[in-house]
Amino acid sequence: MERSAISNYEVTRNSMEKKFLEYDQQQMIDKFGLKNTKEYLFMNFIGQECRISRIGGKVEYYSNEENSWVHADYNVSMTIFDVLCYSKPDCRLSGQFVSLNALKGLVVASAPGPDMFAKNAACFSGRCSQLQDACVKLGGTPEKVGDVSYKIPLFDFMDVILQFWDGDEEFAPVLRVLWDENILDYMHYETTFYATSHLFERLQKLAGV
């Protein structure tokens, strides 16, 4: 039987798994307080335990549905690799949360518009209670701005804030994610979109939408 072709995303992910092995793993353990064994580094990412092979570099997450470890996709793997391998030696969170457009040190040709997450927002329209329950399942704590607003752990050492305003006859629903203003000390600008995509995927699954 022929093997199915792998996507460019999988090719990039697999290449980064090998590149990961060139970095100082003890430095990662010390910087982020990672649980570890001789075979794996462990870290929680958006409500799921992940493990990174110290020998092969593969990122896996534990699936309760499959009752086994599953090879993580591009968004999960690349977010984790970026934080572990790219983050600055002296990275520190500020505790101040801002939109992507207001990040310190950000220079981009075009910043994301207010309707960037319109499709994701539409999934939760009329489903505030389901979204709220999903946020709680991810360990979120309530915030004050929005019809649904929670501070959600991205990693054990880093939170994001999700804000949602439901729509009505006149206005479309709005979904916003706020980041620590020092997030670019931890990951590249593009990686925030990988993390956000996975966050929405997890919320939609937990909310049943």
Side-chain angles (χ1 to χ4, degrees):
M1 185 172 64
E2 291 186 12
R3 293 182 61 186
S4 59
I6 64 174
S7 69
N8 289 335
Y9 289 108
E10 291 172 309
V11 170
T12 302
R13 176 200 63 187
N14 296 347
S15 176
M16 188 59 206
E17 289 174 353
K18 296 176 182 177
K19 185 70 175 177
F20 168 80
L21 301 176
E22 300 176 10
Y23 289 82
D24 187 334
Q25 295 179 18
Q26 187 59 49
Q27 193 174 76
M28 300 172 189
I29 293 169
D30 294 341
K31 183 190 290 187
F32 298 112
L34 301 182
K35 184 174 71 171
N36 63 92
T37 65
K38 290 182 179 179
E39 294 82 18
Y40 296 102
L41 304 181
F42 296 88
M43 61 195 311
N44 293 319
F45 179 52
I46 312 183
Q48 288 181 310
E49 183 177 36
C50 297
R51 68 183 188 184
I52 307 97
S53 171
R54 304 186 69 173
I55 300 170
K58 179 188 289 188
V59 178
E60 299 172 299
Y61 66 89
Y62 191 79
S63 169
N64 291 319
E65 292 84 358
E66 300 184 37
N67 198 31
S68 64
W69 292 92
V70 176
H71 197 175
D73 65 13
Y74 178 89
N75 287 335
V76 173
S77 297
M78 298 305 286
T79 302
I80 288 175
F81 286 142
D82 208 22
V83 170
L84 293 182
C85 302
Y86 162 79
S87 56
K88 296 180 180 179
D90 59 346
C91 56
R92 295 288 186 276
L93 296 172
S94 71
Q96 301 297 316
F97 290 86
V98 298
S99 66
L100 283 177
N101 297 355
L103 289 177
K104 293 196 300 185
L106 177 63
V107 179
V108 293
S110 59
D115 60 346
M116 178 180 180
F117 304 131
K119 289 184 178 179
N120 304 99
C123 290
F124 299 115
S125 183
R127 298 183 175 94
C128 285
S129 61
Q130 291 98 315
L131 177 57
Q132 181 175 334
D133 290 344
C135 290
V136 171
K137 289 175 182 177
L138 291 182
T141 55
E143 291 284 310
K144 297 180 180 180
V145 179
D147 294 326
V148 178
S149 184
Y150 278 82
K151 182 181 290 185
I152 299 174
L154 196 71
F155 297 100
D156 289 341
F157 51 85
M158 180 192 299
D159 299 324
V160 294
I161 292 179
L162 180 134
Q163 298 174 334
F164 175 73
W165 290 263
D166 206 355
D168 56 27
E169 294 80 5
E170 296 184 34
F171 299 99
V174 175
L175 187 60
R176 181 184 300 167
V177 177
L178 304 181
W179 294 82
D180 189 279
E181 64 180 359
N182 290 342
I183 189 62
L184 298 184
D185 287 352
Y186 288 81
M187 63 179 72
H188 291 87
Y189 175 75
E190 294 79 5
T191 305
T192 64
F193 295 99
Y194 307 155
T196 300
S197 178
H198 187 62
L199 172 62
F200 291 157
E201 180 181 312
R202 294 279 289 136
L203 287 170
Q204 287 171 212
K205 183 174 183 178
L206 291 172
V209 299

